Amino acid sequence: MTTRFNALVIAAATLLLLSCAATTGSKTAELSNPYILQAENHTSNGMAAMQQERWDAAMRSFSRALTAAQLADDSALITHSWYNLAAAQSNAKQHTQAEASYRQVMELAQRHHDQVMQLRGRLALHLMQQRLGRLPETFSLQQLPASLFSKQQWPADLHLQAARLAQRLGETAEAEDAYQLVIKRNRNTPSEFKMAAEAHMGLALLARDRGENQTAINQAEQALSYCRQIGAARLTAHALLLQGELAQKPVEKWDRVERALDIYIALDDKTGQKKALTLLSQQANEAGDEKGAEQLLLRLTDLEDKLGE
């Protein structure tokens, strides 16, 4: 009797499972490519590492994202992964690898008719080349779309990159126009606020170079207001250093530069530390503070030794 009862229970349970399976099978299952999910996860990890300036970790994550994108055979994701990898390589000073990766971005984007990514890769490559003194002599801004400097036709980062390139090439009018295009855009995400802050800093530097110190200070202050909302520490230090350089009152000058120095120390940015210590040393000398100037000079000398200068 017990055996027969158990058999009936098992049979009923089997029928229930089959019934559930049949019901589930009648619905359209949501499909997701696991390789795309892997690429997205690795990309997120890489972005987090970039924000913390952990370039080796960023390169590893972006390389894994690239592999996953290739396994997914997702052309757009592959192109973006090459771009992210190139950016990490550039920051890690692996310039030869970065140039090859940027060219891969441009080639893939052209092949798949992605004008935005093609231009994004091109601008990033030219900026890196200009910083390294390797920009081809035949290059000119006129080779770029004029709309980069006149219309909000492109993503904000392209206008920002075009502005930086123009500024570095001494084309100040074009640089200012492109920075203004970035500032006038609506902002919702941290990256959009960061780009606006960078545009204000670009305008601040242009104003400083024209001798318009108060305008430069005001533009740097606007950059700082955004930086404090999103936590852009390095840009905060740059803005404070600029304000300290241009401030009229000694107390304000010292305060801004000292705060910038604290941030550079926390970031282990020795180049930034050198700039800040140099300004503080100059101010101490101007104030007749011989002991303070001597201490700052010792710190500066020690730092230059670490930089190999």
Side-chain angles (χ1 to χ4, degrees), residues 42 45-65 84-95 97:
H42 289 312
N45 292 337
M47 291 298 182
M50 287 281 281
Q51 189 172 18
Q52 298 168 15
E53 301 186 3
R54 295 165 50 232
W55 311 126
D56 289 341
M59 285 189 291
R60 285 194 298 271
S61 291
F62 291 142
S63 293
R64 291 166 182 164
N84 291 335
L85 179 58
Q89 290 168 332
S90 178
N91 279 290
K93 302 189 185 308
Q94 296 186 7
H95 300 123
Q97 297 92 322

Side-chain angles (χ1 to χ4, degrees), residues 70-92:
Q70 290 168 332
L71 290 170
D73 193 32
D74 188 312
S75 299
L77 196 55
I78 291 169
T79 306
H80 279 83
S81 297
W82 272 114
Y83 180 84
N84 291 335
L85 179 58
Q89 290 168 332
S90 178
N91 279 290

